[in-house]
Amino acid sequence: MSIAYNMTECNCESNLKTEYFVGPKDIRFAVRDIEQTTREIQKVLQAIHQPQGLNKIPLACENSRKLFKDVQDQIKILSDKIPANQYYKYHDHWKFAIQRLAFLAALVIFLETEQLIDRQTAADIIGVKVAKEDGFHVDLDDYLMGLLQLASELSRLAVNAVIAGDYARPLQISSFLGELESGFRLLNLKNDALRKRFDALKYDVKKVEEVVYDLSIRGLKPSTET
């Protein structure tokens, strides 16, 4: 009995190691470098929420794009370490980093153009492909998750824009998020995480609508012509 128990215990430990330590160490190290640069990009873009932050938008976008160049180099190092046709075997190692990068790329594009980033543009900024047949790519679910993260950031920006005296920006954000929500309603979301995150989008839309409503009842809502 003791021998059987010890063998079972060893097998359990082995299974735990397999579950939590999948993939070579150099893949995890490469992902850590990407995550570090991602945090630096996010820190740069957080400047838009500070006092006078709206005036810093062009500089924040410019500096972010410079850091995205570093990300592209780091993605190349990571992709070279992935065995052929084994992208999804190790996908869990970097999916959250890619989702965050997709969000940050989407934020930069919105700040620059007030447009929704498409998947190809996001892939180009990050330094990956779109089609899985081409190798290291941005998975569709990761791209969509990035867009949903963008919604939360823009709802925060709408509030801070009012504090900064920019009463037109919440209207732009409200229109943008309304169209984004309508687009997501057309999708058949099979991913549980995406469905839950989509529920959060509804609250983001409502939050911005309340900001616009408050502007309206206070007579601060800009006219259509303005």
Side-chain angles (χ1 to χ4, degrees):
M1 290 292 294
S2 177
I3 296 177
Y5 176 81
N6 290 336
M7 291 180 64
T8 302
E9 187 178 21
C10 290
N11 287 335
C12 290
E13 292 177 354
S14 177
N15 290 336
L16 286 173
K17 290 180 180 179
T18 301
E19 181 179 354
Y20 291 105
F21 297 94
V22 175
K25 288 184 178 180
D26 52 352
I27 290 180
R28 296 197 297 275
F29 291 152
V31 172
R32 288 175 188 173
D33 291 338
I34 295 173
E35 291 172 339
Q36 177 59 40
T37 308
T38 301
R39 287 191 288 269
E40 293 175 9
I41 296 174
Q42 190 163 10
K43 180 180 178 181
V44 168
L45 289 173
Q46 286 303 299
I48 67 176
H49 297 292
Q50 298 173 358
Q52 305 300 321
L54 298 180
N55 297 328
K56 301 175 183 178
I57 286 179
L59 180 60
C61 291
E62 179 183 352
N63 291 337
S64 296
R65 284 188 174 273
K66 291 179 181 177
L67 288 170
F68 268 113
K69 296 293 184 181
D70 296 336
V71 169
Q72 293 173 7
D73 294 337
Q74 293 166 343
I75 289 288
K76 178 63 170 60
I77 293 174
L78 173 61
S79 62
D80 289 342
K81 299 179 183 298
I82 309 303
N85 302 319
Q86 294 192 26
Y87 175 90
Y88 285 103
K89 178 179 180 181
Y90 301 106
H91 179 237
D92 285 346
H93 285 275
W94 60 72
K95 71 176 181 180
F96 294 114
I98 295 297
Q99 290 171 8
R100 180 65 60 174
L101 287 169
F103 147 61
L104 294 172
L107 179 58
V108 169
I109 292 299
F110 176 83
L111 293 174
E112 292 177 342
T113 68
E114 296 181 7
Q115 299 295 318
L116 177 66
I117 193 172
D118 57 61
R119 190 178 171 194
Q120 180 63 64
T121 303
D124 291 342
I125 293 176
I126 298 172
V128 297
K129 306 296 183 182
V130 172
K132 62 181 180 180
E133 296 81 8
D134 295 333
F136 200 94
H137 61 284
V138 54
D139 184 77
L140 179 58
D141 286 356
D142 293 341
Y143 162 71
L144 294 176
M145 191 65 77
L147 297 184
L148 292 172
Q149 293 177 22
L150 172 67
S152 296
E153 191 73 9
L154 292 183
S155 68
R156 179 188 175 196
L157 180 61
V159 174
N160 290 329
V162 173
I163 296 173
D166 185 349
Y167 303 138
R169 195 173 297 270
L171 275 68
Q172 299 165 349
I173 293 175
S174 179
S175 176
F176 177 86
L177 292 186
E179 294 179 4
L180 183 64
E181 182 188 22
S182 298
F184 268 93
R185 288 186 182 277
L186 298 176
L187 301 178
N188 180 20
L189 299 177
K190 299 180 180 179
N191 184 308
D192 289 339
L194 275 176
R195 284 201 301 268
K196 293 178 181 178
R197 199 65 183 77
F198 173 64
D199 290 337
L201 170 61
K202 302 172 187 176
Y203 291 103
D204 293 329
V205 172
K206 182 179 179 181
K207 179 179 179 180
V208 178
E209 288 176 345
E210 290 174 349
V211 171
V212 174
Y213 174 74
D214 286 343
L215 290 175
S216 299
I217 63 176
R218 287 172 171 77
L220 299 174
K221 181 179 177 181
S223 64
T224 305
E225 290 77 7
T226 303

